[in-house]
Amino acid sequence: DSGVTQTPKHLITATGQRVTLRCSPRSGDLSVYWYQQSLDQGLQFLIQYYNGEERAKGNILERFSAQQFPDLHSELNLSSLELGDSALYFCASSVQQGAGETQYFGPGTRLLVL
Amino acid sequence: GDSVTQMEGPVTLSEEAFLTINCTYTATGYPSLFWYVQYPGEGLQLLLKATKADDKGSNKGFEATYRKETTSFHLEKGSVQVSDSAVYFCALSDRGSYIPTFGRGTSLIVHP
């Protein structure tokens, strides 16, 4: 158990819909990262927050947005869903945001768009 | 930009065989290097890491040495077990950027 929790574990929805994925980092971790894992694209970095502020953006679509709240939990919002958005979405956290920091991953949310 | 290249899988071995999973990287700065492991149905977890040249990371019998001259961080284990069956990801984190870069992962299957 990494100490990072993600809800829900599974999500099935339809194209065009909007969903929210939630992540609670390990106690004391200030940095939260979101990743998308799919068979064809591998593990793709989406976005990072540090202590409530967005710090880095990766391959995140404009239809996707995220935020980190004062209690440090984070939410990833996916809208106008397409079939290709079906994937595993992971959240990870780390104490700081330095290059040598270990990331602790949650169990993931499996999203299926029908 | 930064990139990580791992050998294609799956790698299929018999129990007690020697394991090598190759990883090479390209980075503009002086990165930290990581191996993460993903067991079926779980998230990734850190296996080992190295933050400077010639450092050796080790954990659970796995080892990898940071080779700056060959820009490599190959993962090795002397005797694999069935329980080592998982997907292994090589990753780097460059000091100039906080965006981590992961390889595509190498699936390891160990047969009894």
Side-chain angles (χ1 to χ4, degrees):
Chain A
D1 184 355
S2 67
V4 178
T5 60
Q6 289 187 250
T7 56
K9 281 190 172 15
H10 303 277
L11 201 46
I12 301 174
T13 188
T15 54
Q17 294 299 304
R18 172 189 169 94
V19 297
T20 297
L21 313 184
R22 183 188 167 102
C23 167
S24 292
R26 291 187 326 153
S27 176
D29 285 1
L30 299 176
S31 196
V32 169
Y33 307 77
W34 284 98
Y35 294 88
Q36 179 192 60
Q37 186 179 38
S38 60
L39 282 175
D40 56 340
Q41 294 290 326
L43 191 68
Q44 297 286 314
F45 168 75
L46 296 177
I47 197 164
Q48 181 219 350
Y49 282 82
Y50 179 77
N51 204 20
E53 292 187 11
E54 180 188 306
R55 287 301 176 92
K57 260 187 174 177
N59 300 318
I60 188 165
L61 299 171
E62 283 192 13
R63 301 184 285 109
F64 296 1
S65 65
Q67 53 184 326
Q68 186 180 27
F69 294 88
D71 67 352
L72 300 177
H73 91 270
S74 179
E75 293 181 355
L76 179 67
N77 300 297
L78 314 177
S79 61
S80 303
L81 285 167
E82 302 175 0
L83 296 178
D85 298 327
S86 296
L88 262 173
Y89 291 84
F90 287 106
C91 163
S93 71
S94 63
V95 177
Q96 296 289 335
Q97 57 176 357
E101 288 288 319
T102 296
Q103 294 189 22
Y104 296 87
F105 282 76
T109 293
R110 185 173 293 277
L111 173 66
L112 181 58
V113 182
L114 300 175
Chain B
D2 296 345
S3 67
V4 174
T5 303
Q6 292 182 234
M7 57 192 293
E8 294 275 334
V11 174
T12 304
L13 296 172
S14 297
E15 207 165 23
E16 298 184 4
F18 184 85
L19 168 71
T20 300
I21 300 178
N22 290 335
C23 170
T24 56
Y25 67 90
T26 302
T28 51
Y30 195 160
S32 293
L33 302 174
F34 305 80
W35 277 101
Y36 284 84
V37 58
Q38 184 179 27
Y39 297 103
E42 298 182 12
L44 282 70
Q45 56 185 272
L46 179 72
L47 182 59
L48 53 85
K49 71 178 183 182
T51 57
K52 60 183 190 294
D54 301 324
D55 266 3
K56 178 185 281 190
S58 61
N59 185 25
K60 300 181 183 179
F62 291 89
E63 292 183 341
T65 300
Y66 190 141
R67 299 286 188 204
K68 193 165 186 291
E69 63 277 11
T70 54
T71 61
S72 64
F73 194 53
H74 304 321
L75 182 68
E76 297 182 335
K77 186 176 186 184
S79 175
V80 294
Q81 306 300 311
V82 172
S83 57
D84 294 327
S85 299
V87 180
Y88 292 81
F89 292 87
C90 185
L92 70 82
S93 186
D94 205 335
R95 281 160 178 58
S97 162
Y98 299 128
I99 299 176
T101 302
F102 283 81
R104 290 188 62 87
T106 301
S107 175
L108 171 66
I109 301 168
V110 181
H111 293 294

